[in-house]
Amino acid sequence: MSDISHIGQIAITVSNVKEALTFYRDQLGLEFLFAPSDQLAFLQCGASRLMLTEPQGAGEAGQNSILYYQVCDIESKFQSLEDSGVHCERAPEFAAAMPDHDLWLAFLRDPEGNLLALMEEKAKSA
């Protein structure tokens, strides 16, 4: 049995932390925690912390995994992001029927080209 209970922190490599912070804080709406330098900033997303960092060593901005952000109203959140100028890849759509909910997904990109997803676990309709 694993002692791991949830994701504590996720790092996203960006070429400009200040510009990325504007997107993640002001457009996506994540809570800003602190920025110890111009090359590093931290935000809170539920139980997980998001670290924005410039590439270290041979790293390259925009070459990372997809982060899935849980939302309560995927259609409204997607529309508000699109209205604010966020580059949207795919509108919300049904992705899978789970035993106790339906999974809906939508995709967008941050200013660095990182692919992000919104997800909503909608209650099964009667």
Side-chain angles (χ1 to χ4, degrees):
M1 185 168 161
S2 174
D3 290 333
I4 298 172
S5 63
H6 66 280
I7 296 172
Q9 179 171 297
I10 300 165
I12 295 184
T13 305
V14 298
S15 62
N16 185 307
V17 170
K18 188 174 181 178
E19 290 177 6
L21 184 57
T22 298
F23 171 79
Y24 284 93
R25 180 192 56 216
D26 301 339
Q27 290 183 294
L28 208 53
L30 299 184
E31 176 190 354
F32 174 73
L33 296 175
F34 61 98
S37 73
D38 290 341
Q39 294 81 36
L40 197 60
F42 293 86
L43 300 108
Q44 194 70 38
C45 182
S48 298
R49 187 171 50 228
L50 180 66
M51 178 179 79
L52 302 175
T53 181
E54 291 184 2
Q56 307 296 314
E60 196 174 329
Q63 303 297 316
N64 64 349
S65 300
I66 301 171
L67 299 176
Y68 290 78
Y69 293 96
Q70 185 85 33
V71 297
C72 292
D73 184 349
I74 195 167
E75 290 86 359
S76 293
K77 182 64 176 175
F78 184 85
Q79 187 63 54
S80 70
L81 290 169
E82 191 170 48
D83 290 348
S84 73
V86 171
H87 176 84
C88 295
E89 290 277 315
R90 192 171 80 202
E93 62 183 32
F94 172 80
M98 308 303 274
D100 61 344
H101 66 273
D102 289 332
L103 178 63
W104 282 69
L105 299 174
F107 294 89
L108 52 124
R109 291 200 183 266
D110 75 3
E112 297 286 336
N114 293 305
L115 187 62
L116 308 173
L118 302 177
M119 62 182 284
E120 182 179 359
E121 296 174 347
K122 294 185 179 191
K124 293 270 190 190
S125 52

